[in-house]
Amino acid sequence: MIKEVEEAIMAADNALTHLTAARDKLDSASGWGIFDMLGGGMFTTYVKRSKMKDAQAEMERAQNALMIFNRELEDVQNIEGIDFDVSAFSGMADYVFDHFLVDMFVQGEISDAQDKVEEAIRQVTMLLESLEEKEEALVRESGTGR
């Protein structure tokens, strides 16, 4: 049982790594998005979209890591896994209709993605703490060190 808990902890750490990277990339995209709403122009839109693309890729990696984490959780205990839906950001309208309302809409998408990532980080962190407590208890029960 200790091995399963350790595997779940490693999977949680991996998921947190990708979620944190996604959060950082979304924060960068959000900053560029604000600049774009203030009239940044096509170059700003391009940079923002590039940051959003990077964030999307990292969120997809996070989603894969969370799927592995959910499988590991099933081995450890009957805990419901984390549901993390990665939706693609809207695309060409941001370039074709580069004006404030479209920029606001895109900024809303970024904000929604940030909220999803923050919630996933919160859930994984709580589960990780629970797993670490379980691991400590199992080690104490078995009387063995790590």
Side-chain angles (χ1 to χ4, degrees):
M1 181 58 121
I2 292 174
K3 182 180 182 225
E4 286 85 6
V5 172
E6 288 173 345
E7 289 172 353
I9 288 172
M10 288 189 316
D13 287 338
N14 187 42
L16 282 173
T17 297
H18 291 294
L19 287 166
T20 302
R23 178 181 57 196
D24 294 346
K25 292 178 185 314
L26 286 166
D27 289 347
S28 179
S30 178
W32 281 97
I34 291 169
F35 185 52
D36 200 19
M37 287 191 310
L38 297 173
M42 287 301 278
F43 176 74
T44 304
T45 299
Y46 172 78
V47 173
K48 174 185 69 179
R49 297 305 298 188
S50 175
K51 301 294 183 181
M52 290 171 67
K53 182 180 173 188
D54 294 344
Q56 180 75 35
E58 198 60 53
M59 289 188 307
E60 289 170 4
R61 286 189 281 276
Q63 185 174 34
N64 290 334
L66 286 168
M67 287 172 32
I68 293 167
F69 179 51
N70 286 339
R71 280 195 303 266
E72 295 298 338
L73 279 177
E74 290 173 8
D75 292 344
V76 173
Q77 51 196 350
N78 196 12
I79 295 178
E80 191 160 324
I82 297 169
D83 184 29
F84 182 70
D85 177 37
V86 177
S87 303
F89 295 112
S90 54
M92 286 307 292
D94 201 16
Y95 290 108
V96 177
F97 305 108
D98 189 23
H99 60 75
F100 184 74
L101 291 177
V102 173
D103 292 341
M104 275 186 54
F105 174 76
V106 172
Q107 192 68 15
E109 287 184 321
I110 294 169
S111 180
D112 290 346
Q114 286 175 306
D115 291 344
K116 286 180 184 179
V117 168
E118 284 299 331
E119 178 59 19
I121 288 172
R122 187 190 67 74
Q123 289 179 16
V124 172
T125 300
M126 285 177 36
L127 288 168
L128 178 59
E129 289 170 359
S130 174
L131 288 166
E132 288 170 341
E133 289 171 7
K134 186 175 187 109
E135 179 186 35
E136 288 175 21
L138 288 168
V139 168
R140 276 193 308 273
E141 285 175 13
S142 71
T144 62
R146 267 183 113 184

